[in-house]
Amino acid sequence: MKIVGIDEAGKGPVIGPMCIGGVRIDKSKSNALKNLGVADSKKLSPKKRVHLASQIKKYADDYFVFEVSPDQIDELRKLMTMNEIMVLGFGNVIENLPGDEIYVDAADVKEERFGKRLLEGYLKNHPDGVAPTIVSKHGADDLFPVVSAASIVAKVRRDELIEELKKDIGVDFGSGYPSDPKTKQFLKDWYDEHGSLPDIVRHSWKTAQNIVEK
């Protein structure tokens, strides 16, 4: 019995990619993840996350991170809602990490609807296949160690990509979240100097649009 946990990191930031992580493990080994001390990635220090991510990768049968760039998010948002983008992204991880039971951190206000949409997507791609059981819950990264593990793997990868972006453009822009004063100041300064925002920014975000409009 193979179980898979899926969670995202970076749904909300105005800068950088979104990473959707998946971890697959034999159900009989899932206690090993609990014993490692996995938890919701937001509750762990960056150093602890990096350490745990390397341990998770040793214990897991397999793992996968699907990266969605800022310009891909902007393009998709012209055609669909962010919730629909999340269904596509989580569905991509399910395709790459098939399992018997899939536990996901629901990226929709209605957790059941999110799970139903994922199942519909799977059945569309595999009309003759055996559908997995999909358990979609809010706070799944607190409820299921395999989702906590996926949350950590996704967050560590996003953090790596953010550090690479900072090196590439030579500026520390903070976390990339709209609520971060450092991020907001970076966007304003960059726009003032260049007359446009860089391609590491999600231009469809209200934060970015407000700076351009002002």
Side-chain angles (χ1 to χ4, degrees), residues 3-214:
I3 62 170
V4 176
I6 307 176
D7 198 6
E8 56 78 24
K11 180 185 178 183
V14 64
I15 296 178
M18 174 169 69
C19 294
I20 302 171
V23 169
R24 183 173 64 205
I25 196 165
D26 202 271
K27 197 168 189 177
S28 62
K29 286 201 249 166
S30 60
N31 268 348
L33 293 176
K34 205 171 185 177
N35 295 339
L36 283 176
V38 297
D40 174 3
S41 64
K42 294 184 281 294
K43 296 176 181 173
L44 301 167
S45 70
K47 194 175 176 184
K48 179 74 172 168
R49 282 196 297 262
V50 170
H51 171 71
L52 280 173
S54 65
Q55 294 297 306
I56 289 161
K57 288 169 186 177
K58 281 182 202 167
Y59 281 96
D61 290 343
D62 204 357
Y63 68 92
F64 177 74
V65 180
F66 180 54
E67 298 167 17
V68 193
S69 69
D71 60 319
Q72 285 173 324
I73 291 170
D74 287 338
E75 284 304 308
L76 286 168
R77 271 166 63 90
K78 292 173 186 173
L79 306 170
M80 60 185 75
T81 66
M82 200 62 198
N83 279 357
E84 288 166 332
I85 294 171
M86 301 306 284
V87 171
L88 279 185
F90 277 57
N92 186 292
V93 178
I94 291 170
E95 288 296 318
N96 281 277
L97 281 183
D100 303 298
E101 292 176 2
I102 318 271
Y103 295 85
V104 303
D105 194 15
D108 186 333
V109 288
K110 294 184 178 176
E111 54 189 17
E112 283 178 18
R113 178 171 64 188
F114 189 67
K116 192 179 168 201
R117 283 179 169 177
L118 287 175
L119 188 58
E120 284 167 359
Y122 183 88
L123 291 171
K124 198 173 170 184
N125 292 333
H126 307 274
D128 303 321
V130 179
T133 300
I134 297 179
V135 179
S136 172
K137 293 281 182 191
H138 293 138
D141 43 4
D142 273 333
L143 297 170
F144 309 110
V146 72
V147 181
S148 305
S151 165
I152 290 163
V153 169
K155 182 77 173 106
V156 167
R157 180 59 186 147
R158 177 172 150 89
D159 286 349
E160 286 170 359
L161 292 168
I162 288 296
E163 288 312 307
E164 285 172 20
L165 291 178
K166 287 177 183 176
K167 278 182 193 160
D168 287 347
I169 65 165
V171 184
D172 178 2
F173 50 72
S175 65
Y177 279 81
S179 57
D180 186 340
K182 202 177 211 180
T183 298
K184 282 199 281 197
Q185 192 60 49
F186 160 77
L187 294 172
K188 186 181 175 304
D189 292 348
W190 187 281
Y191 190 80
D192 287 348
E193 189 180 336
H194 299 89
S196 63
L197 292 171
D199 57 9
I200 63 168
V201 170
R202 300 179 193 178
H203 297 263
S204 60
W205 252 233
K206 201 73 194 150
T207 311
Q209 289 173 355
N210 286 343
I211 283 167
V212 172
E213 283 162 14
K214 279 177 189 172

